[in-house]
Amino acid sequence: MTDASAPADAHWFDWHPGRLDPSTTAESLIRELPGPVRFRLAGRDRSRRRALTTLLHGNEPSGVRALVRYLVEGRTPATDVLGFLGAVEAARVEPFFSHRFVEGGRDLNRCFRAPFRGPEGALAQACLETLSAETPEALVDLHNTSGRGPAYAVVTETRSAHDALATLFADHLIVTDLQLGTLFEATTPLCPSVVVECGGVGDPAADAVAYEGLCRFLESDSVTTDARHRLDVFTHPVRVELAPGQRVAFARRPVPGVDVVLDPDLDRHNFGTIIPGETLGWITEDGLGSLQVRSASAVGPVGHLLTERAGRLVAAATFRPLMITTRADIAESDCLFYAVAVAPRRPEATASAR
Ligand SMILES: [Zn+2]
């Protein structure tokens, strides 16, 4: 089924998908691919191309499910498509789509900047070299969140082309100045680039967002000129992280020996508003030191957002939390959540003005 036997170079395989058999699933495809792949689709207009990347995280299947459905249906894109599937090896670690990256490896979507260390760095560098040489008119990178929540797009620059791309998939837009070494940070100078977080892993609505958005992205004559609707915009969220070496648990009560315990339903607050005094979990008296806040310019204490009150971790300010995870491994290797501060009396001025 998969014609992907010839390595393009040491880092990936060139995959020539054609029309896939109707029995193909994301799982069966991932089982057959030899590793990370670059692929191309021929469009109606061969003079232009768009870039599609997905599966940079092996536990985020909505993008590859959308691609499989698209290829099974034998649809024709408006332009040529240059695509990458990244963390194929991580995705097929049993149970399928459970590992963000392979054990002992690196998070591929933190490797798109120098120094390009290890196999993930080499793959990222090769991917960027191809994208740079082929000048796509736009790039979309499809992901899932590990917690529940609506779809949203992430950009590093507020330009009308980015808004137009975001509205192919989502109603919410996050503008970030955090530099994490992600693909879309590196490609934004090359072409309008957005990350789309399609929704939570395992949520059928997220798969639908990915598929419907993918069809719009691949088949519209223009994808960078007209926003389809207004966006709810969140500007420059900070990351709330564990301090290095700290552990977190998700439970409904304190856990002996763990400084930071978060409510396992915390992700119900994604894109909502948390007000001062609201309980997020439990924390030891010294536990605030286990947390830190990272902005684009600094890493500092968490005290302006969160505090300890009688053993509980409570909000110290009004903020809107985004990308809350409820998986301890992801919270420990990436972050607990992002937060956008809200001015107490004029929330609309900070949170959603546009
Ligand atoms: Zn991801």
Side-chain angles (χ1 to χ4, degrees):
M1 178 193 73
T2 53
D3 174 14
S5 55
D9 57 32
H11 312 297
W12 62 49
F13 296 81
D14 265 323
W15 174 42
H16 310 286
R19 183 168 186 166
L20 296 183
D21 184 90
S23 65
T24 310
T25 63
E27 286 79 1
S28 70
L29 174 67
I30 293 303
R31 193 172 285 119
E32 292 195 22
L33 289 178
V37 293
R38 175 176 69 179
F39 64 91
R40 296 172 194 281
L41 308 177
R44 291 190 299 275
D45 179 351
R46 303 300 314 272
S47 70
R48 297 186 289 153
R49 72 186 60 76
R50 295 173 191 160
L52 170 72
T53 56
T54 192
L55 208 64
L56 298 188
H57 292 137
N59 62 323
E60 300 175 8
S62 285
V64 70
R65 285 197 184 125
L67 178 66
V68 165
R69 183 172 166 190
Y70 192 86
L71 296 173
V72 164
E73 290 177 355
R75 302 175 69 128
T76 304
T79 71
D80 280 4
V81 176
L82 169 64
F84 292 93
L85 301 179
V88 171
E89 283 110 342
R92 64 171 161 238
V93 174
E94 298 280 356
F96 268 51
F97 299 121
S98 61
H99 284 62
R100 187 176 172 95
F101 49 90
V102 290
E103 209 173 321
R106 298 174 68 203
D107 182 334
L108 177 59
N109 206 26
R110 300 293 181 269
C111 296
F112 288 87
R113 63 180 168 191
F116 295 100
R117 288 186 291 111
E120 296 88 355
L123 174 62
Q125 186 174 26
C127 178
L128 290 179
E129 282 170 1
T130 296
L131 288 165
S132 177
E134 302 213 9
T135 58
E137 60 185 24
L139 177 142
V140 167
D141 182 22
L142 296 176
H143 290 250
N144 289 102
T145 47
S146 52
R148 293 169 291 177
Y152 57 89
V154 189
V155 298
T156 59
E157 294 178 2
T158 47
R159 300 207 320 244
S160 58
H162 294 125
D163 286 6
L165 284 171
T167 59
L168 298 170
F169 292 86
D171 298 333
H172 302 289
L173 181 69
I174 295 174
V175 183
T176 179
D177 55 357
L178 287 160
Q179 295 286 317
L180 302 175
T182 62
L183 170 71
F184 84 113
E185 292 164 29
T187 59
T188 293
L190 303 173
C191 67
S193 304
V194 301
V195 163
V196 179
E197 299 281 357
C198 298
V201 170
D203 182 351
D207 292 346
V209 163
Y211 175 73
E212 288 159 19
L214 180 71
C215 292
R216 287 190 281 265
F217 175 59
L218 297 187
E219 296 184 359
S220 303
D221 279 335
S222 170
V223 290
T224 54
T225 49
D226 295 305
R228 294 159 48 88
H229 50 75
R230 285 173 65 86
L231 288 157
D232 190 11
V233 179
F234 297 77
T235 303
H236 298 169
V238 295
R239 282 162 63 92
V240 179
E241 306 173 337
L242 291 169
Q246 299 300 301
R247 307 296 302 272
V248 65
F250 288 87
R252 299 191 189 284
R253 58 186 64 83
V255 176
V258 179
D259 282 334
V260 180
V261 177
L262 295 177
D263 180 346
D265 287 330
L266 197 61
D267 57 353
R268 72 184 183 278
H269 290 295
N270 265 327
F271 289 92
T273 302
I274 288 184
I275 58 172
E278 188 144 358
T279 297
L280 282 71
W282 294 267
I283 195 162
T284 58
E285 216 166 300
D286 306 328
L288 280 183
S290 302
L291 296 170
Q292 63 187 24
V293 168
R294 182 183 301 274
S295 67
S297 56
V299 178
V302 77
H304 64 290
L305 282 179
L306 302 169
T307 190
E308 184 267 338
R309 197 175 295 165
R312 290 176 178 269
L313 178 66
V314 300
T318 304
F319 62 91
R320 298 190 72 179
L322 320 168
M323 306 186 229
I324 299 170
T325 187
T326 52
R327 270 185 59 169
D329 60 330
I330 289 173
E332 288 167 6
S333 67
D334 192 38
C335 75
L336 302 172
F337 57 87
Y338 289 68
V340 178
V342 176
R345 281 182 237 287
R346 297 168 40 241
E348 72 282 1
T350 339
S352 60
R354 194 96 203 251

